Structures are given as structure tokens and as C-alpha cells.
Amino acid sequence: MERDFQGGHGGAYDGGFGRGRGRRPVTDYGSSMVQWMRHRRPRYKGGAALEMERPSASYIIDMLPPAARLDRPADTIPAKHLHSSLNKIKHPINIVRWTPEGRRLLTGSSSGEFTLWNGMGFNFETIMQAHDSAVRAASYSHGDDWLVSADQDGVVKYWQPNFNNVKAIQAHNDPIRDLAFSPTDSKFVTASDDATLKIFDFSGGIEESVLTGHNWDAKSVDWHPTKGLLVSGSKDHQVKLWDPRTGRCLTTLHGHKNTISKTSFERIRGQLLATCARDQTARIFDLRMMRDICLLRGHDKDISTLAWHPIHVSLLSTGGSDGSLHHYLLDEPNPPPGTALSLAPYDSPDPSNAPAQTIYPAHRIQYAHDFAIWSLDWHPLGHILASGSNDRVTRFWTRARPGETECFNDRYHLGEAAAEAQGTWDRKGGRRMMREEEEQELEDEAEGLEDQKMPARQPILPGIPGLPMPASVFRDGTSVGGAQSHIPGMGNVGPPPPPTLSGVLGINGLPAIDPSKFAAMFAGGNLPPPPPIGASTGTNQSFPPPPPLPVNFDFSKMPPGLFPPNFQLPPGFPPPPNANGAEASAAGAAGSIRRRGPLPSQQESLMEEQRRGKYRIAR
């Protein structure tokens, strides 16, 4: 169910109020799911005994999710535009993928960035630099544990659900156009511009086999959801089926007359294969008959991508290079007026030799995008379709609510000029609305990035973790935050003053040294030697013996700059092995530079999980 929430005013900052935000559409499917769960019955008892929807706004509360109407795919056709999302720095969107739980949408751009958008409010959540070049492919594993992405340089990266990058491999030397997981998630396959397909072992990232047979760039690949069967499409106009075990080409499907842009198996029954090409057509192949049964027409330009609906087997969406978005129902030919109705091969006397049935769109959104649509992906529940385009915009689409007709006359269906002539689109108001949406996206992105910033690193008092330095240390005489901190649990007692140089290291009985002379002596390594161990001073105090060091103590692991140049340890301390040498001099030269220690390596996390017995057993 779609709801429009009025964004609240910003909170008071510096005595003022923020600018009121516009209306943001929020698609809340919770009430629809609850409605279905309350009234559903087992399938063997028939469908749910619910009242049929009627074209009236009062029936909005009776809307049901697609899973509740398996026999009515027409109710799920996404004809309404929900929201357009765009980044502050705009780049073409090459990949859109819903996260497995459906809470967020992941987009990959030509700049190599991953962007996460909220799945209900469609607002910006986070952005990260995932690849050094354009992201070309991405796929989640069937177990929802991993994300694998590929880029223009032929690099494949492994990502955990929290987008922690654990592995990167150089799979190809040419751009990777597509990739897919095996049904058990133990392997994945890539398609590249070097005209080859490569199968990799997921656990080790090791190349297992190379499938050769295409005569030109391999543009698409898919792995059957339940079988050991691969399909690939190439620039040589051929669609090939492969056996991943032997690497043998099983058959070649000839039907298209131009570059194959997308190949995809149907995910529910696994009996159909959809392909689209730059010849302005898409074809549906029946794997049992090994021939095309449907020819999808209606596009005026090349078809760049397609996507199967996750619930309805007969619903297929295609995106064109001119920005048009078409939805097809495979069991409804929908011929235009004056066109003869064709017969399905299943209904003909000779199914093997009958021509493919021509299917026309059940719904067209002719102006969905301004440029080519590169990627389509359905929400796991099947109620929202996301599209990414070369016009640098990610758009969300859903079904119209009962009684709603304005969405069919908007600028996405009619175009800006026709919609303006009908009064359903105001060019000036539309531009103002687009500016407001862009400003809102910029605010969301700024707030999201601000929330992700690490807190400022405050100087702390040596020896007491978490306690800021006293006010006298700072030049302006104030402490961090403008107030002097106290030691926790000590009441109003302030922190101790910094150590003084009344004597060397504050030891009684030694003569006081001028601070400037002490600094010069410390920099030159000419500190006065301490009294011998156990020797009495003028106050009858003796130096305690040095604490014993651990066995096989390695001085090389000490932080750089700990020892000044030519520093001599007091008697009784074992000298460091590299105290006098190139390493010691380099460490002394860098003594005044504070370097951050290396972070824990993330490359070993996958192998560590495997040592624990995970990600090794086939699902």
C-alpha cells in the first residue's frame, strides 16, 4: 500500500526552524501483508475468500500483495511512478539490485560507487567507493550471505551483507558484462568481452574452467536456478546453452539478428528462458521443446534489459534503449487493432514446427526514462520494480491504487508536451518539484554522510584512557568542548597537571635541568647516564632494578620513534637488536611523525570462516 507522509519540519537549531520538506511517497506493504495473512487459506482449499477489488478509493484497504493473487498477474503491473532517486554527483546507473530482505536497493554506477536507497521511503542511506572503474555486474547468492560484483577492469569482488570487502580477484583482462551464482552458491560464472565464460570456485576464488565458443563479446550469462545449465548471449547474435561440468556447448539457439543484450531463466518453474537483443525483439524459449514459443514485439528501439517477476510466471518487463518500459503477459497476446491474433505453439497441431506466438505489451510506459534503461530488478515481494538508466536516475514503479487514473496520463506515459497539453503536467511546477526533490536528496545524503562520520579524535591524558588533556595544554586556554573535564568518580577534583622537569624524569635527588637544555640533550641523544643500579643518592634513595622483560622480547615490534637517535639504554636492560643501524636511524628519523598502526587484514576473514567449517558444504 502506498502512503503519502507529510515530512515534518526540521528541529530547532540556533533558535530557528528548518525548511519544511515536501511530500514523500512511502510504500508500506505491512497492512497489505497483514490483510492477506488474516484471511488466507491453504491452496488446496482454493483461493482466499476476499472481495474483488473495485475501482474506488474505498478499496485501498483491501489491497493484497502479489503472492495473494497468483492467478491475476495483471493486478501487479507497475504502471505508477513512485519516486526518482539521484545522487549529488550524478553518474549513469548500470546495476540495480534489491537486497535479499527487500529493505534497501543497491545501485552501481559508472564511477564505481555503490549507493543504498531505502526500500520504503526511497531516501538516500549511504554511498561507498566499491570499484576503481565502472560497476558492470552484481549478484546476491541464493543463501543471501554474499554479494559478488564485477567492474570494467575485469575485477571481481566479494562483499558481505554489511558491505565488508573480503576478497578481490582479477577474473578477466577485459570488462565483465554479467555474472551469476550456481544453485548451491559453491561456484559462479562470469561473461566478459574476451568472448569467454569462466567458472570460479567461490570458496577459493580459483578459476575452474573456461568456456569458449562465442565468436565475439559475451554480453550476458545466467545459471539455471535448479539445474547444472548455463545460458549465454553474445555479440555474435547467438544464444548458447552450456554444461558447466564438462564445459561443452549443448546447443545454440538462433533467433535474434543482432547483439544479445540479456538472457535470463525463469526462476519459479525453471522451464522458460527469456532473451532480448538489439533487433527490437525479445523471445521466450521453452527448454523442454528447445525452441522459441513467444516473440515479444512493441519496442521501437533496441531492448537493453529484461526482468522476470518473482511471483508471477507470465509477467515479464523489458527496458529499451530509448527509455521505454514495457510489461508483457505471456498468456495475453494483446494485439493492436488491425493485427491478426496468432496461435500459441501449444495449441497448434504441430507444436515443433508452428511459428512463435507474437505477444504485444499489456502496458507501456513510453517515457519512463530519458535514455537507455540498463537494469531492472523486482522487489522480493513483487510489488515494486526498480529501474536504473543512462540518464543517471533510479526510478521506482508500483501498481496503481484502486480508483486511481491520474497516473496513466502523467508525463511518463504521454510525454511532457502531451501531458502539459492535457493539463496533467505543469512544466514550471514540474521543474520546481524536481529541484525540491533534488534538494531533498542532497539533504538526505548530507545527513546520511554526517551520521557516518567518526567522532573527532580528542587528545587524551597519558596514562588515563578517555580523559582529555588539561586546559593549560591548549594554546587558547580552553579544553575540548569549552569546559574542563574531571576524572570520573573523583568529584570536582581536576586532572593532574602535566609533569614538570624539576629533575630528570622527576627523580628526587638529581639536579634540576633547564628545559631548553634538556630538549637539546634529548634530541641529540646525550642524556646523562642514570646512577648505577642500587646506588644511593643524596636522599638515600636508590633506583629499583628494571622489570624483567618477557622471554624472546622483539624490539622490532616497538612503535617507530620510541627511541631517539643514538639512545643508550640504562645498564641492566638488554639492547634492542637493531638499535644501531639503518632501521634504527629510519625509526629515529620518523620519531616525530605519528603513524597509525595497520588495520587487521580483511582478506583472511573468508578463509577463517572456512576453517570454522562454514561455506564449504554444498547447500
Side-chain angles (χ1 to χ4, degrees):
M1 178 183 293
E2 181 201 351
R3 301 178 179 178
D4 291 334
F5 289 98
Q6 178 68 35
H9 293 277
Y13 294 98
D14 298 331
F17 291 91
R19 177 178 58 86
R21 291 189 174 183
R23 299 172 65 88
R24 176 185 289 277
V26 176
T27 302
D28 181 13
Y29 52 83
S31 58
S32 301
M33 294 295 296
V34 171
Q35 174 83 353
W36 175 47
M37 295 174 66
R38 287 182 58 189
H39 299 285
R40 65 178 176 176
R41 296 186 300 179
R43 292 186 182 179
Y44 66 87
K45 292 185 178 181
L50 297 173
E51 186 177 358
M52 187 69 64
E53 289 182 7
R54 300 180 184 180
S56 173
S58 61
Y59 284 84
I60 293 179
I61 61 174
D62 296 325
M63 290 179 62
L64 295 176
R69 300 187 182 276
L70 298 178
D71 56 340
R72 302 197 62 185
D75 290 347
T76 312
I77 293 178
K80 181 181 179 181
H81 170 258
L82 275 178
H83 187 72
S84 297
S85 299
L86 64 163
N87 288 335
K88 178 180 179 181
I89 302 177
K90 306 176 184 64
H91 296 281
I93 306 299
N94 296 332
I95 290 295
V96 293
R97 291 289 180 269
W98 286 96
T99 55
E101 77 283 354
R103 293 185 178 182
R104 296 170 181 87
L105 179 74
L106 172 70
T107 63
S109 68
S110 60
S111 63
E113 295 173 333
F114 278 170
T115 305
L116 279 179
W117 304 96
N118 187 278
M120 294 181 63
F122 316 117
N123 55 291
F124 171 87
E125 288 203 355
T126 187
I127 188 172
M128 60 178 293
Q129 188 69 41
H131 288 267
D132 297 331
S133 58
V135 180
R136 292 296 180 188
S139 177
Y140 276 96
S141 63
H142 296 85
D144 305 339
D145 296 326
W146 295 95
L147 170 70
V148 172
S149 61
D151 63 12
Q152 182 77 12
D153 296 334
V155 177
V156 172
K157 291 189 177 183
Y158 293 15
W159 306 88
Q160 292 176 331
N162 60 352
F163 293 97
N164 177 30
N165 179 220
V166 299
K167 184 186 284 288
I169 59 176
Q170 185 71 43
H172 295 265
N173 294 324
D174 291 321
I176 297 177
R177 296 299 177 177
D178 204 358
L179 57 84
F181 269 98
S182 67
T184 60
D185 292 343
S186 60
K187 306 179 190 304
F188 67 92
V189 61
T190 59
S192 173
D193 281 354
D194 58 8
T196 63
L197 309 178
K198 290 186 179 182
I199 299 178
F200 291 85
D201 175 68
F202 176 73
S203 299
I206 302 173
E207 176 185 320
E208 289 191 347
S209 60
V210 181
L211 311 183
T212 58
H214 282 295
N215 300 319
W216 215 342
D217 303 353
K219 295 297 185 181
S220 179
V221 69
D222 196 17
W223 204 310
H224 195 276
T226 59
K227 304 180 185 300
L229 183 64
L230 296 176
V231 63
S232 63
S234 172
K235 200 174 181 178
D236 59 6
H237 312 173
Q238 296 178 357
V239 176
K240 290 182 178 292
L241 296 174
W242 308 81
D243 182 358
R245 301 176 183 86
T246 62
R248 183 170 61 95
C249 178
L250 300 177
T251 186
T252 301
L253 303 176
H254 301 274
H256 291 285
K257 301 178 182 179
N258 210 322
T259 301
I260 310 297
S261 54
K262 186 67 176 178
T263 58
S264 179
F265 287 110
E266 191 270 318
R267 298 292 170 182
I268 301 175
R269 299 177 184 173
Q271 299 174 354
L272 301 179
L273 166 67
T275 64
C276 64
R278 294 182 180 177
D279 56 4
Q280 305 177 14
T281 63
R283 292 180 181 267
I284 307 298
F285 293 86
D286 192 328
L287 299 177
R288 299 166 295 180
M289 304 171 63
M290 205 58 68
R291 57 149 297 176
D292 53 342
I293 59 172
C294 293
L295 175 62
L296 309 185
R297 293 187 179 275
H299 278 276
D300 298 329
K301 298 292 184 179
D302 303 342
I303 302 179
S304 53
T305 186
L306 55 81
W308 288 97
H309 193 272
I311 306 296
H312 298 296
V313 180
S314 61
L315 179 56
L316 182 72
S317 301
T318 60
S321 60
D322 58 350
S324 60
L325 183 61
H326 291 187
H327 305 289
Y328 295 87
L329 295 176
L330 303 184
D331 50 3
E332 297 182 11
N334 297 302
T339 304
L341 182 65
S342 58
L343 188 65
Y346 302 120
D347 300 330
S348 65
D350 188 7
S352 300
N353 299 320
Q357 184 182 21
T358 303
I359 306 293
Y360 292 91
H363 188 79
R364 309 172 190 234
I365 307 177
Q366 196 64 32
Y367 305 94
H369 285 272
D370 297 333
F371 297 102
I373 299 177
W374 294 131
S375 182
L376 295 172
D377 197 32
W378 281 94
H379 190 280
L381 291 179
H383 69 295
I384 295 180
L385 175 66
S387 60
S389 170
N390 201 43
D391 61 4
R392 309 172 184 180
V393 179
T394 302
R395 288 201 166 105
F396 299 85
W397 312 86
T398 189
R399 59 159 293 187
R401 294 180 292 189
E404 189 173 15
T405 58
E406 295 85 359
C407 63
F408 300 103
N409 296 320
D410 59 6
R411 67 185 183 97
Y412 302 105
H413 288 80
L414 305 179
E416 292 187 1
E420 187 176 11
Q422 287 195 6
T424 57
W425 165 256
D426 181 11
R427 189 178 298 271
K428 295 182 179 179
R431 291 178 179 174
R432 183 179 65 254
M433 186 181 302
M434 290 180 60
R435 287 196 301 269
E436 292 178 356
E437 290 181 356
E438 291 186 7
E439 293 175 0
Q440 187 170 340
E441 296 293 350
L442 293 178
E443 291 182 9
D444 292 340
E445 184 170 350
E447 291 176 0
L449 296 178
E450 183 69 25
D451 293 341
Q452 298 170 30
K453 287 184 179 179
M454 295 296 293
R457 189 180 183 89
Q458 298 182 358
I460 59 175
L461 190 69
I464 306 180
L467 186 67
M469 290 288 287
S472 58
V473 176
F474 300 97
R475 295 181 179 179
D476 57 358
T478 60
S479 62
V480 177
Q484 179 63 48
S485 301
H486 300 282
I487 302 178
M490 299 282 294
N492 295 326
V493 179
T500 60
L501 298 177
S502 59
V504 177
L505 303 179
I507 301 175
N508 295 328
L510 294 180
I513 301 178
D514 183 62
S516 60
K517 293 183 179 180
F518 178 76
M521 295 171 60
F522 187 84
N526 299 322
L527 293 177
I533 302 298
S536 300
T537 61
T539 55
N540 296 327
Q541 295 180 359
S542 61
F543 283 91
L549 294 176
V551 181
N552 299 327
F553 182 76
D554 189 4
F555 277 88
S556 63
K557 295 183 179 180
M558 300 297 289
L562 180 64
F563 302 106
N566 304 322
F567 180 74
Q568 298 293 333
L569 291 173
F573 284 91
N578 298 326
N580 299 318
E583 296 182 3
S585 61
S592 60
I593 302 177
R594 180 177 180 180
R595 288 187 172 88
R596 180 176 296 176
L599 295 174
S601 175
Q602 299 177 352
Q603 303 294 333
E604 304 294 334
S605 63
L606 178 60
M607 290 184 284
E608 180 64 26
E609 294 292 332
Q610 292 174 357
R611 283 194 289 269
R612 297 178 183 177
K614 297 181 179 180
Y615 310 117
R616 285 189 176 274
I617 304 175
R619 297 182 183 275

